[in-house]
Amino acid sequence: MKSYRKELYFNLPTRRGFVNITPQVEQALAESGVREGLVLVNAMNITASVFINDDESGLHSDFEKWLERLAPEKPYSQYAHNGYEDNADAHLKRTVMGREVVVAITGGRLDFGTWEQIFYGEFDGKRTKRVLVKIIGE
Ligand code: ZN
């Protein structure tokens, strides 16, 4: 069995944002040489997410508004976690949007459902964060 590991780095200029990272995952898959297997993609920071959905700007705007209703950024004082930090909302948003995705690899390609794309979700940006890509198979 082959095994391949790669880290991706993100430093968004805004507090929140979504990035389609499918091309980077496809690049890692090509580097791995795996034709049949699984790829795990996970955020390595507890205020960022990796999730799968549609690359459609209206939907991304809807995610932003929905998450802000669920866990508003402000006032910072509403959260017990805040004090030294001001990112309690980012931890909550990350939990809702998820830590990781697993995608099947078939014939050397990501075996997606219709319109599926992989996204990095940032909820406390303006600093460098990591995403792990782990590929196993043959
Ligand atoms: Zn925190």
Side-chain angles (χ1 to χ4, degrees):
M1 186 191 78
K2 288 182 193 165
S3 172
Y4 184 81
R5 183 187 192 278
K6 185 177 191 179
E7 290 185 8
L8 309 175
Y9 297 89
F10 299 94
N11 190 336
L12 271 63
T14 51
R15 181 170 173 112
R16 287 187 292 278
F18 299 125
V19 180
N20 186 338
I21 62 171
T22 310
Q24 290 99 311
V25 177
E26 288 173 336
Q27 176 66 36
L29 177 55
E31 291 161 6
S32 76
V34 169
R35 305 276 306 162
E36 297 291 326
L38 295 171
V39 55
L40 164 76
V41 187
N42 70 268
M44 297 190 87
N45 190 286
I46 51 177
T47 53
S49 287
V50 172
F51 64 95
I52 288 179
N53 219 300
D54 193 0
D55 194 359
E56 197 279 306
S57 60
L59 179 64
H60 296 183
S61 172
D62 291 337
F63 276 137
E64 163 66 18
K65 290 180 197 159
W66 177 64
L67 290 167
E68 200 53 24
R69 282 199 302 272
L70 284 175
E73 177 188 343
K74 296 173 183 173
Y76 295 126
S77 60
Q78 73 188 301
Y79 299 107
H81 175 70
N82 288 341
Y84 177 72
E85 288 190 302
D86 64 2
N87 65 1
D89 70 301
H91 289 279
L92 299 176
K93 287 164 176 151
R94 182 274 172 113
T95 302
V96 168
M97 296 303 286
R99 171 182 180 264
E100 78 280 307
V101 300
V102 176
V103 180
I105 300 161
T106 304
R109 312 221 20 205
L110 299 173
D111 203 341
F112 282 133
T114 306
W115 301 114
E116 285 189 335
Q117 295 282 283
I118 305 171
F119 291 89
Y120 173 75
E122 177 62 80
F123 306 113
D124 186 21
K126 304 178 191 174
R127 55 199 174 100
T128 300
K129 293 183 177 174
R130 294 179 297 154
V131 166
L132 175 66
V133 181
K134 181 84 178 191
I135 299 169
I136 57 172
E138 56 187 24

